[in-house]
């Protein structure tokens, strides 16, 4: 899910969608309006799921898509090899499988809890 917002309302450490990928905003710089133009904002962001750096330049009144990010907790049910984990959401009791991010390999244990985020149909473990 996503909603529309104007560029001037964006803040650092919030999220926006660039090239159909949800990204975390790392920096925003704005220029002053010119004689015939309006102020522009240069936004540097990093993709949440792919880690790729992206930058865009938009007028400050331009409308962009902002993803609705759902931060949730889950319990580790089982480890499936060293690359996949089976989780159960602690609110909805939904079970699902996710790949284990490289920084958390070897740290997950059955019965432990993790924080994950979900947006645009994708999920990622963010904290143990």
């Amino acid at each position: 899910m996503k909603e529309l917002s104007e560029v001037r309302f964006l803040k650092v450490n919030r999220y926006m969608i660039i090239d159909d990928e949800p990204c975390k905003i790392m920096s925003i710089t704005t220029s002053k309006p010119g004689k015939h133009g309006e102020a522009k904002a240069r936004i540097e962001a990093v993709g949440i799921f792919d880690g790729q750096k992206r930058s865009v330049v938009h007028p400050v009144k331009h409308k962009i898509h902002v993803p609705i990010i759902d931060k949730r907790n889950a319990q580790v049910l089982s480890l499936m090899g060293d690359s996949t984990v089976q989780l159960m959401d602690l609110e909805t009791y939904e079970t699902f499988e996710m790949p284990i991010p490289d920084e958390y390999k070897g740290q997950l244990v059955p019965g432990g809890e993790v924080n994950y985020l979900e947006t645009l149909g994708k999920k990622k473990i963010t904290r143990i």
Side-chain angles (χ1 to χ4, degrees):
M1 291 182 17
K2 51 191 172 183
E3 57 187 26
L4 280 175
S5 175
E6 285 190 16
V7 171
R8 62 183 163 173
F9 297 126
L10 296 176
K11 291 187 168 68
V12 174
N13 291 329
R14 298 274 176 91
Y15 301 93
M16 69 180 290
I17 296 176
I18 303 174
D19 300 331
D20 292 327
E21 181 70 28
C23 299
K24 184 173 184 176
I25 298 171
M26 304 313 275
S27 70
I28 300 174
T29 54
T30 55
S31 63
K32 293 186 177 181
K35 186 173 181 181
H36 298 290
E38 59 182 299
K40 296 208 175 19
R42 179 180 181 83
I43 303 167
E44 303 285 333
V46 175
I48 297 172
F49 298 106
D50 62 3
Q52 222 176 26
K53 289 185 180 179
R54 295 176 169 86
S55 63
V56 291
V57 177
H58 288 300
V60 293
K61 292 183 180 178
H62 184 76
K63 292 197 184 301
I64 54 116
H65 289 286
V66 177
I68 297 174
I69 299 205
D70 195 10
K71 295 180 180 175
R72 303 178 139 293
N73 296 324
Q75 180 179 7
V76 177
L77 294 179
S78 67
L79 298 171
M80 307 168 92
D82 52 342
S83 62
T84 307
V85 63
Q86 185 179 25
L87 300 173
M88 178 181 67
D89 189 285
L90 292 175
E91 288 181 28
T92 63
Y93 303 111
E94 168 195 8
T95 60
F96 53 91
E97 295 177 9
M98 290 178 65
I100 301 173
D102 291 336
E103 64 263 26
Y104 299 124
K105 286 192 176 177
Q107 299 180 28
L108 296 174
V109 293
E113 288 188 18
V114 296
N115 294 357
Y116 72 96
L117 56 86
E118 180 178 11
T119 184
L120 302 178
K122 297 179 183 177
K123 298 176 183 172
K124 179 182 179 182
I125 296 174
T126 56
R127 187 179 300 144
I128 296 180

